[in-house]
Amino acid sequence: MTVHKALTVAGSDSGGGAGIQADLKTFQELGVYGMSVLTALTAQNTQGVHGVFPVPPEFIAQQMDAVLSDIGTDAVKTGMLFNSIIIETVAKKLKEYNVRNYVLDPVMVAKGGAPLLVTEAVAAVKEHLLPLATVVTPNLPEAKVLTGMEKIETKEEMKEAAKLLHDWGAQHVVIKGGHGTDDIVTDLLYDGREFVELSAERFHTQHTHGTGCTFAAAIAAGLASGKNVREAVKQAKVFITAAISHPLGIGHGHGPTNHWAYRREGSNDV
Ligand SMILES: Nc1ncnc2c1ncn2[C@@H]1O[C@H](COP(=O)(O)OP(=O)(O)O)[C@@H](O)[C@H]1O
Ligand SMILES: Cc1ncc(COP(=O)(O)O)c(N)n1
């Protein structure tokens, strides 16, 4: 049996809907062996982030060494990296172990508004991580911050942002449309040559905690299993749409998505 492996380098969400918890659930659902390197602990639930406790960079490096020197991985996804020292540490290890399938989710702000990346670290994302990325997956606000564009609302503006991020080193760019308002939510994939639109119905729900984490983790799982980027992104879109469309309804705020919906869709058991 071939075991496909994926590693998430991200923050912990004690509420289980985003961060490493969302990533590991997604890896498992897509049949990939999941591993995790913690960059920060958050005291978090569906109502917001109540505290952040960054992990010392030396210990992040030690976790990456432990996993990559022994088990190895077929793909890496990064999420919350919090500050520039952590970003530089992670970038150094990705290069040292010659990681191939790297999905960069440039997490900046939690759905409730809490910062998950200090403002000064945006430059480090661009300088150290974008050039290593097989795929970068910004949402609309993140794409604005990374590109410095005044607004990204139309398809043409999404295309312009994707081209800039590709020019700065990312091999593929997915600009996610979750923060738009149309009844159809469209993500845009760019490979440096052509644009592919991935559209789905927009669900009018507040249970979207962890959508970005889950989507990027699903892309990493697809790449780890040998899919090409386009196939992996398409599968991830179906995965996240299923997860959003069958909310669990737990907690008092922005609830998590349903990570088992994709596997169980078709049975009546989602
Ligand atoms: N309300 C929604 N209905 C359907 N799909 C959504 C909805 N919100 C987000 N998505 C999808 O979830 C994924 C994550 O997008 P987004 O929410 O923009 O990212 P983030 O969590 O980083 O802010 C994208 O594929 C997006 O199209
Ligand atoms: C530890 C951690 N990482 C990432 C997110 C972003 O979540 P979302 O995917 O909803 O933007 C989060 N809220 N907490």
Side-chain angles (χ1 to χ4, degrees):
M1 180 174 104
T2 309
V3 178
H4 300 296
K5 297 164 282 184
L7 169 66
T8 170
V9 179
S12 163
D13 168 11
S14 50
I20 55 156
Q21 288 80 0
D23 298 343
L24 289 174
K25 290 172 194 179
T26 304
F27 293 162
Q28 183 77 11
E29 290 296 320
L30 289 172
V32 168
Y33 178 77
M35 301 166 284
S36 59
V37 164
L38 272 87
T39 56
L41 311 186
T42 69
Q44 188 174 176
N45 55 23
T46 65
Q47 293 176 306
V49 176
H50 303 279
V52 174
F53 185 70
V55 172
E58 307 75 44
F59 194 70
I60 294 172
Q62 205 177 356
Q63 293 175 77
M64 290 191 78
D65 283 334
V67 171
L68 296 172
S69 67
D70 172 33
I71 307 169
T73 192
D74 299 303
V76 170
K77 179 227 140 159
T78 61
M80 173 186 183
L81 297 175
F82 197 59
N83 63 34
S84 40
I85 307 167
I86 295 180
I87 289 168
E88 283 170 34
T89 304
V90 170
K92 194 165 157 248
K93 290 294 167 193
L94 292 175
K95 280 196 265 189
E96 186 179 325
Y97 289 95
N98 207 11
V99 166
R100 289 261 163 258
N101 293 314
Y102 167 41
V103 182
L104 163 60
D105 183 15
V107 171
M108 293 183 189
V109 180
K111 290 268 149 56
L116 300 177
L117 181 77
V118 296
T119 316
E120 311 83 85
V122 171
V125 173
K126 285 160 75 170
E127 183 183 345
H128 300 290
L129 296 179
L130 267 187
L132 302 178
T134 311
V135 193
V136 62
T137 61
N139 62 25
L140 293 173
E142 289 158 357
K144 256 175 64 177
V145 171
L146 287 170
T147 59
M149 287 171 63
E150 246 168 57
K151 69 178 182 73
I152 307 178
E153 287 162 12
T154 63
K155 291 245 169 80
E156 286 317 307
E157 287 160 352
M158 284 169 85
K159 285 184 179 176
E160 189 184 331
K163 278 185 180 163
L164 283 172
L165 296 174
H166 183 268
D167 285 349
W168 294 337
Q171 290 165 37
H172 300 80
V173 181
V174 182
I175 311 270
K176 299 174 295 190
H179 291 245
T181 50
D182 295 351
D183 283 340
I184 299 293
V185 48
T186 301
D187 303 341
L188 188 73
L189 166 64
Y190 181 57
D191 63 3
R193 279 170 301 134
E194 49 178 342
F195 294 96
V196 177
E197 285 183 18
L198 299 111
S199 295
E201 177 189 347
R202 179 183 297 280
F203 298 97
H204 297 284
T205 168
Q206 63 165 352
H207 301 302
T208 54
H209 177 58
T211 49
C213 303
T214 302
F215 179 68
I219 298 173
L223 296 177
S225 334
K227 291 188 187 310
N228 65 34
V229 171
R230 197 180 285 202
E231 288 167 353
V233 171
K234 280 188 179 164
Q235 174 179 256
K237 181 71 175 166
V238 177
F239 188 96
I240 191 60
T241 304
I244 295 171
S245 62
H246 298 283
L248 300 169
I250 59 175
H252 298 91
H254 292 282
T257 69
N258 181 342
H259 290 97
W260 62 73
Y262 175 82
R263 177 166 44 100
R264 296 207 198 154
E265 224 173 30
S267 70
N268 287 319
D269 197 19
V270 283

